[in-house]
Amino acid sequence: YPSPVTEKITATKHCNGVDYWILIHESQNNNFRSYLLTSAGVNSVAVVTSIGSVCNGLNFFLGYLKFSPNGKKVGASSATPSFCELYDFDSSTGILSNSLTLATGTQFQGIEFSPDGTKFYCSFVYSIRQWNLCAGTNTAILNSSVTIGQSNGYTFRSLQLASDGKIYVASAGQY
């Protein structure tokens, strides 16, 4: 295998509706590796896409990687260097494209898509932001950013879409 990888891993269905793509992010570079999973097993030859921010630094391994519900978008976050990004994903080839950096400079952690895939969320240290993915152009998506939650001093961490259609937030120090 190539260089070490971050903790970022996610999966989505192949466009054939049977097989799956397993997506990981290498460390110390901007390589995404898509592995095809079929009934015969995992193909050891990855589709490599070099796109977006480089994952290196003190806490480069912290963060998330998630597919939208329809598998056409991928969200990525990293704590240090801090970024929250969005990509298009081709479920027939495993290739990522159209990198869009939504935000940088603050420690990011959790990311999540709305159940219908029209909104994207990223947790910052003390707030959660939302972007409208139906806004149109990349500029319009960037300009659609709104803060939808503020903490009372606790740090926001993971975001997780549950089977009830709600997105739950884990906060450091909260039980």
Side-chain angles (χ1 to χ4, degrees):
Y1 289 97
S3 67
V5 297
T6 66
E7 68 180 6
K8 300 165 184 58
I9 185 170
T10 190
T12 193
K13 279 198 172 185
H14 186 280
C15 69
N16 66 16
V18 177
D19 301 324
Y20 285 86
W21 287 106
I22 301 169
L23 182 67
I24 63 172
H25 198 299
E26 291 182 14
S27 66
Q28 309 301 317
N29 59 46
N30 66 341
N31 292 341
F32 286 89
R33 300 179 74 77
S34 300
Y35 291 94
L36 185 60
L37 172 64
T38 68
S39 60
V42 177
N43 186 337
S44 62
V45 178
V47 175
V48 179
T49 307
S50 299
I51 192 170
S53 295
V54 172
C55 282
N56 64 5
L58 180 62
N59 292 319
F60 67 88
F61 52 87
L62 296 175
Y64 290 89
L65 190 61
K66 290 192 179 182
F67 277 105
S68 62
N70 67 6
K72 293 183 179 188
K73 294 277 187 190
V74 175
S77 69
S78 181
T80 308
S82 294
F83 64 81
C84 186
E85 294 179 334
L86 199 60
Y87 312 90
D88 290 336
F89 184 77
D90 184 329
S91 64
S92 64
T93 65
I95 295 174
L96 290 91
S97 62
N98 194 26
S99 174
L100 177 59
T101 300
L102 299 171
T104 62
T106 304
Q107 211 176 29
F108 304 109
Q109 278 275 322
I111 56 173
E112 190 56 87
F113 290 90
S114 61
D116 63 3
T118 62
K119 306 285 190 297
F120 182 70
Y121 303 90
C122 187
S123 64
F124 295 70
V125 177
Y126 299 113
S127 65
I128 298 173
R129 282 198 202 157
Q130 170 189 281
W131 288 268
N132 180 356
L133 302 183
C134 295
T137 65
N138 282 353
T139 301
I141 291 171
L142 287 170
N143 291 335
S144 74
S145 174
V146 294
T147 299
I148 62 163
Q150 294 283 127
S151 82
N152 57 357
Y154 294 100
T155 305
F156 288 132
R157 298 286 187 203
S158 303
L159 301 176
Q160 184 63 50
L161 178 63
S163 58
D164 63 4
K166 295 180 182 179
I167 297 174
Y168 290 85
V169 181
S171 292
Q174 293 290 294
Y175 302 99

